[in-house]
Amino acid sequence: MTKTTAGTRTGNSGRTAWTDKLERELTLVHRVPRDLVNRVLGEVAEAVTETGESAEELFGPAKEYATAVATERVDPRHRSTRDLEGRAPFTHFQQGMVAGSIAILIMAAVWTFGYKGHSGALVLLASFSATVFVAATFAVLPALRAAGRTRTAWLFGSGAGVIAAASIGSALLPAVREAHSFPFPPSAAFGFALLLATLGLAIPERIVSRWFSPSEGRRLDDEQWLRRLGELLYGRHGFPRHTAQQHVTEAREHLAATGRAAQQELGQVEIYAMNLTDGPVRERNRIRRRFLGALSFTAVMAVLLTVKLTDSDSGGAPPWVPAAALVYNGALAATCLRKMRAR
């Protein structure tokens, strides 16, 4: 009988659950370039064939081996542009715009059946404000955070909130609410969705990268370097703010002791920040960020559910939608909290 990883079976292609997991970890978690993934899988298959041992016996757990490959064999300049999820700002922007377009289409379906009898002008204003929020939530804010530009993210988020609030405020004006009612035009939402998807897929990576990371790889003076270090540790790599500032203070003291320039002594700031997160720290920060995200979304869903239950004329999605999202994200937050305590 052919020897395979314990608890797995070899398929017709000779692949095992171990190699499938390795490929998923390399591709989805660490975002390793495809040509390197193919080389690693080929090396594993060759070693298994030559020795007759299972891949797990030769290389250890797939997750740990994927981490080792990503750390030791991927160009540091490539890895340093990735955040805790292994994604660059461009990836967040592109995937977020496409996901946002899908969300807009789903909301359009809800509005089409949930806002019957409402003013078409009101619904169009609501759809516009929703589009602004969706683009900010799915694409721009994650991209800015991955770029380490948290202050800009806050400013952008505040601006998006003002625009959406202004749209909602306009929709509540008597002239708009009492305007002639007409069915919600799905073509309007389709247009918004198409615009988001087109922007996400059509804009070249170099342009998007220039938007979100204008200083990436450039030569910085000491104060710029130290400020950028704090931004990257807090935004891109998920350190708590006080921990990020501790690393900045340590770097500042080291430079004062040596008398050398930051870039000369410590190298490119993106690579230096990345090196501080290698090892167990990265996984701990990833779990912490997922916990905070799930907790925030749980709070939002709790507010929406409360509004639904207290205002039967609020329209839109039925109460079970925020209720289901509340339960799911609450469970996710609890799971992340258990993992954090276990570490």
Side-chain angles (χ1 to χ4, degrees), residues 98-163:
V98 173
S101 68
I102 296 172
I104 289 294
L105 291 177
I106 293 174
M107 285 189 286
V110 173
W111 290 331
T112 299
F113 299 103
Y115 282 85
K116 290 180 178 179
H118 285 70
S119 163
L122 184 152
V123 177
L124 284 174
L125 283 170
S127 67
F128 172 72
S129 63
T131 303
V132 172
F133 263 123
V134 165
T137 303
F138 281 87
V140 180
L141 293 180
L144 286 171
R145 186 182 64 183
R149 301 177 63 191
T150 51
R151 292 181 182 177
T152 305
W154 279 109
L155 289 174
F156 179 86
S158 300
V162 169
I163 294 173

Side-chain angles (χ1 to χ4, degrees), residues 221-235:
D221 63 35
D222 286 1
E223 283 306 314
Q224 291 173 329
W225 193 99
L226 291 167
R227 183 169 59 252
R228 181 66 176 152
L229 175 62
E231 292 173 346
L232 289 169
L233 291 176
Y234 177 66

Side-chain angles (χ1 to χ4, degrees), residues 89 143-144 147-149 152 205-220 228 231-232 236 270:
L144 286 171
R149 301 177 63 191
T152 305
E205 180 175 359
R206 67 179 184 280
I207 295 178
V208 175
S209 298
R210 196 179 306 139
W211 288 347
F212 293 107
S213 304
S215 63
E216 198 90 12
R218 295 185 179 180
R219 190 163 191 83
L220 308 173
R228 181 66 176 152
E231 292 173 346
L232 289 169
R236 178 173 292 175
E270 290 84 8

